[in-house]
Amino acid sequence: MSTQTDKTIAVVKGLIMDGVAKANSGHPGGAMSSADYATILFSEFLNFNPDDPKWFNRDRFILSAGHESMLLYSLLHLNGFISMDDIKQFRQLGSITPGHPEVHLTPGVEATTGPLGQGFAMSVGFASAEAFLRDKLGSDVVDHYTYVLSSDGDIQEPIALGAASLAGLWGLGKLIAYYDSNKIQLAGPCAKVDCTDHRKIFEGLCWQVIEVDGHDHDEIRAAIKNAQLETAKPTMIIGHTTMAKGCATMEGSHQTHGAPLKPEEIAATKQKLGLDPDQTFQVPADVVDGYRARFDGLRKKGTDWQTALDAKLADGEFAAMWGHVTRPRPELSIDWPTFTPGETMATRKAWGSCLNEVMDSLPTLVGGSADLDPSNQTMNFRNTYGDFAVDGYGARNLAFGVREFPMAAIMNGMQLHGGLLPFGATFLTFSDYCRNAIRMSSLQELPVLYVFTHDSFWVGEDGPTHQPIEHVSSLRLIPDVIDLRPADANETATCLDIALKQDKHPSTIFLTRQGLPILDPAEYPALVDGPRKGGYVLKDCDGTPDLILIGSGSEVALALDTAKLLKRKVRVVSMPSTKLFDAQPDSYKNEVLPPEVTARAAAEAGRTDLWYKYVGTGGVVLGLDHFGASAPGKVLSDKYGFTPENFARMIREKF
């Protein structure tokens, strides 16, 4: 006998088929196989405020299988968050129902997903943020579940298992993952590419594992309830399902993965599901009423939560912490350390000094290193605040291990959750492991901080595997990522201030292994605030310059020393951020780089290509367009010509 739940699921499947068919593009099969679980979760278990999709203590649902977006949009329509017109505009320009879910665009979407595995990893970040904030604010303020729906492709991506290992270690008991194991992917059966026993894998990663028939509603309900009861481990619910469940003739077919169903298949399937085969986008009133029957109770939970929060705000200590959790980033007031001019300090050590100085005043600053704590200068942070979960859920150091990609995606999840200032650190050469998550940081407008140390061939003896060449230029290519390569300790503090006060853009800060001279703000007054504009005149000459030298990071000191060898009027420009400089008005850029001064030279210990944008095709660029070698950094500096004498020679020969 058909139940109200059966009818609701049938309606959801109808919307999936119709939405994909109208767009003539999409992925109906997986969305239909996941529909039983997702509909029961949303209609019976998910805690949210029907009047406020951004309610702070809502359960978070992440659709890691982003290609199943029509499933999510159908449920968000039943939630009342999006309209039927929005459903009908699936995958159309300007709609709020894009091909893959996009956070900030669609009410109720918690994360931008599509690159498989990353939604799963971000869910670990969501759950970690919840556990930390519950410890700091109390379970009457933060006490929600994080649900993630994953596909076969998600679990095949190694990032998912790396993140799962951390979730198990951290005992994230309020993380509940559902794996829709329909055993079909775009190219065919999963058996052609995978022999994994997922129960054994996840049990080995310290998860509770529950296997269910993903189309048996009672088994689904029991699994969710058992998952909620397990507080010491995350739970993986493996739902054994059939691809395109409910289809008239195409159940189990991989052809339903990434293409619309044919009209006759849709009509026959609707007939099978008890829907009107001649009607599209049908949502009967009794289905809406049944789905929303618990909405008044959900609203009361939101009201009761607000009452409890208001009462707690009378406590000064709680109010202060709540202020840190909710304060917009641009309003942060941070007191940075000062540095002694004339001394030598690697910018990575300057970062460490800055972290040590501000960590007490920023109690929501959380993060860590990918197993490079001493090199990344996070040891004192770790020793002071302890390792998250291992030393308690209020501990602030995230010991990611050698897991750069999961680290980056977990930070995205923490930032998406809200309330925290996440950072992650590793060697710059390993930023390649993080790259797609960095791209997702930018796409989702997440101001996370990536700390990349050992930023050039000056790494030295570890050799070319560890010496970045193309990495800084490569990361500058990602839209809206703020690149920060400070010249000394002073610029490092300013660059960190820039990064932590971003409200939409992720920042990548590139830091040296080798010591650099600390410049004197008294001698170079623009040093303190100049980096905020990306590039600025660090040292000028009288009148119009004959030559402009541009340096970034460690090569600013090289430019200053080179200028002393040139018997002409020289302007030295420090450019820690090409992205910020390019964003300035033309009037400012022309003030720093006057168009009439065409004799220009730039130096950066990396690829040369980008710098011709600033020096012109007739300019001089000192850089490195080949791999390095294993040798002391100073030896390599001499060999590759990163000396004032060689830079001056190159300039004299050209101009």
Side-chain angles (χ1 to χ4, degrees):
M1 180 180 294
S2 177
T3 66
Q4 186 69 22
T5 299
D6 294 326
K7 188 172 183 180
T8 303
I9 293 169
V11 166
V12 167
K13 289 181 178 180
L15 291 176
I16 292 168
M17 292 186 292
D18 289 340
V20 172
K22 186 174 187 300
N24 195 30
S25 175
H27 301 75
M32 294 176 73
S33 69
S34 301
D36 294 270
Y37 172 83
T39 303
I40 289 171
L41 176 68
F42 268 66
S43 63
E44 300 180 26
F45 292 93
L46 200 70
N47 189 27
F48 63 95
N49 187 336
D51 302 323
D52 181 8
K54 291 295 186 182
W55 177 48
F56 192 81
N57 198 37
R58 68 192 181 278
D59 287 338
R60 269 54 165 192
F61 174 82
I62 297 93
L63 182 66
S64 191
H67 54 282
E68 298 182 11
S69 56
M70 262 308 301
L71 169 61
L72 178 57
Y73 299 148
S74 300
L75 294 168
L76 293 178
H77 173 65
L78 291 175
N79 279 4
F81 292 165
I82 64 176
S83 70
M84 183 56 73
D85 286 341
D86 295 325
I87 293 285
K88 293 178 179 179
Q89 289 300 305
F90 179 52
R91 289 183 167 233
Q92 303 308 299
L93 181 64
S95 80
I96 64 169
T97 49
H100 292 82
E102 296 181 31
V103 72
H104 307 312
L105 183 63
T106 313
V109 169
E110 300 287 359
T112 300
T113 54
L116 292 173
Q118 286 198 60
F120 187 98
M122 285 190 284
S123 75
V124 176
F126 275 94
S128 300
E130 187 276 338
F132 178 85
L133 291 172
R134 176 159 32 99
D135 181 274
K136 298 297 184 183
L137 298 172
S139 60
D140 51 346
V141 175
V142 182
D143 184 32
H144 66 78
Y145 291 98
T146 298
Y147 298 95
V148 58
L149 193 159
S150 305
S151 64
D152 291 289
D154 285 294
I155 305 303
Q156 286 173 21
E157 286 286 356
I159 184 178
L161 297 184
S165 180
L166 288 171
L169 173 68
W170 294 342
L172 298 176
K174 297 184 80 68
L175 172 61
I176 300 174
Y178 179 76
Y179 167 26
D180 180 55
S181 180
N182 61 41
K183 302 171 182 60
I184 294 292
Q185 52 198 93
L186 188 147
C190 295
K192 290 188 175 184
V193 299
D194 198 2
C195 66
T196 305
D197 185 328
H198 293 99
R199 170 180 279 278
K200 288 182 179 178
I201 290 291
F202 277 87
E203 286 179 342
L205 295 174
C206 306
W207 286 57
Q208 172 182 228
V209 179
I210 303 171
E211 295 190 70
V212 299
D213 176 343
H215 305 303
D216 186 310
H217 300 169
D218 288 336
E219 287 191 22
I220 290 170
R221 293 183 180 100
I224 296 173
K225 290 175 182 176
N226 287 333
Q228 291 177 339
L229 291 173
E230 174 57 74
T231 59
K233 294 180 179 181
T235 296
M236 168 61 78
I237 302 172
I238 301 175
H240 296 287
T241 61
T242 300
M243 187 71 159
K245 179 67 175 178
C247 270
T249 68
M250 296 189 71
E251 279 191 358
S253 172
H254 71 274
Q255 294 178 7
T256 67
H257 173 88
L261 302 178
K262 295 184 182 302
E264 56 270 23
E265 180 72 17
I266 294 175
T269 299
K270 287 181 179 178
Q271 185 80 45
K272 178 181 176 181
L273 294 173
L275 302 174
D276 183 345
D278 298 320
Q279 184 179 350
T280 59
F281 299 102
Q282 50 195 299
V283 183
D286 64 317
V287 168
V288 175
D289 292 342
Y291 183 93
R292 299 180 181 178
R294 67 190 188 106
F295 275 20
D296 286 344
L298 291 174
R299 291 186 177 98
K300 186 175 186 307
K301 284 185 179 180
T303 302
D304 291 346
W305 177 87
Q306 187 63 52
T307 300
L309 174 64
D310 292 342
K312 291 193 74 168
L313 286 171
D315 177 85
E317 185 176 349
F318 175 86
M321 187 64 187
W322 182 250
H324 285 290
V325 168
T326 57
R327 183 172 296 116
R329 277 176 173 253
E331 296 178 13
L332 288 174
S333 178
I334 308 172
D335 293 325
W336 298 99
T338 57
F339 301 94
T340 304
E343 292 186 355
T344 297
M345 177 181 284
T347 51
R348 68 180 175 115
K349 291 189 175 180
W351 140 254
S353 296
C354 289
L355 178 61
N356 294 339
E357 181 74 16
V358 305
M359 59 188 187
D360 285 342
S361 63
L362 297 175
T364 58
L365 181 68
V366 297
S369 167
D371 199 47
L372 292 169
D373 303 73
S375 299
N376 293 153
Q377 299 291 298
T378 58
M379 279 300 296
N380 186 55
F381 183 80
R382 178 177 187 169
N383 293 336
T384 301
Y385 296 112
D387 288 330
F388 173 72
V390 175
D391 296 317
Y393 289 106
R396 292 165 55 186
N397 184 76
L398 296 164
F400 291 109
V402 188
R403 299 184 182 93
E404 293 88 354
F405 194 6
M407 172 183 76
I410 287 170
M411 288 195 299
N412 285 344
M414 298 184 89
Q415 186 66 58
L416 282 165
H417 180 280
L420 300 179
L421 306 172
F423 73 88
T426 187
F427 286 175
L428 176 55
T429 192
F430 301 136
S431 64
D432 286 338
Y433 291 129
C434 305
R435 185 177 179 83
N436 198 261
I438 298 173
R439 186 177 190 272
M440 294 299 290
S441 299
S442 187
L443 188 59
Q444 297 180 92
E445 300 182 348
L446 303 178
V448 299
L449 171 60
Y450 294 91
V451 179
F452 294 131
T453 69
H454 297 64
D455 72 344
S456 73
F457 67 80
W458 278 94
V459 167
E461 292 86 348
D462 277 342
T465 58
H466 286 54
Q467 293 168 2
I469 301 295
E470 74 282 11
H471 297 76
V472 173
S473 287
S474 174
L475 289 167
R476 286 174 176 146
L477 294 175
I478 303 176
D480 299 323
V481 173
I482 306 298
D483 58 310
L484 299 163
R485 191 164 185 256
D488 79 332
N490 295 293
E491 276 200 3
T492 300
T494 303
C495 286
L496 288 169
D497 196 72
I498 292 168
L500 289 177
K501 291 180 180 177
Q502 292 297 316
D503 60 350
K504 289 186 177 181
H505 303 310
S507 298
T508 53
I509 188 166
F510 311 115
L511 304 170
T512 65
R513 179 192 185 194
Q514 77 277 20
L516 300 177
I518 297 175
L519 303 177
D520 188 351
E523 183 178 356
Y524 305 106
L527 183 66
V528 176
D529 288 320
R532 299 185 189 280
K533 293 186 176 180
Y536 65 99
V537 178
L538 177 65
K539 182 177 175 58
D540 212 354
C541 58
D542 294 330
T544 302
D546 300 320
L547 170 72
I548 298 175
L549 301 184
I550 308 170
S552 170
S554 52
E555 284 64 62
V556 171
L558 172 64
L560 289 170
D561 290 341
T562 301
K564 297 173 184 176
L565 302 179
L566 299 170
K567 296 179 180 178
R568 61 185 80 181
K569 293 191 292 183
V570 179
R571 169 178 291 181
V572 176
V573 171
S574 175
M575 195 174 291
S577 177
T578 60
K579 195 68 61 76
L580 292 178
F581 182 73
D582 290 347
Q584 301 306 311
D586 287 343
S587 57
Y588 176 78
K589 289 185 282 189
N590 291 336
E591 181 182 328
V592 175
L593 302 175
E596 64 271 19
V597 182
T598 58
R600 303 180 185 181
E604 183 174 61
R607 292 284 302 193
T608 60
D609 314 60
L610 169 143
W611 291 102
Y612 289 102
K613 175 180 179 179
Y614 304 104
V615 302
T617 55
V620 171
V621 179
L622 172 61
L624 210 60
D625 292 321
H626 58 79
F627 292 120
S630 178
K634 181 62 171 67
V635 172
L636 295 175
S637 177
D638 293 341
K639 177 177 175 58
Y640 299 146
F642 282 80
T643 65
E645 294 75 17
N646 181 64
F647 195 24
R649 176 193 60 78
M650 293 172 65
I651 293 166
R652 291 191 192 102
E653 290 178 357
K654 188 70 176 182
F655 304 116

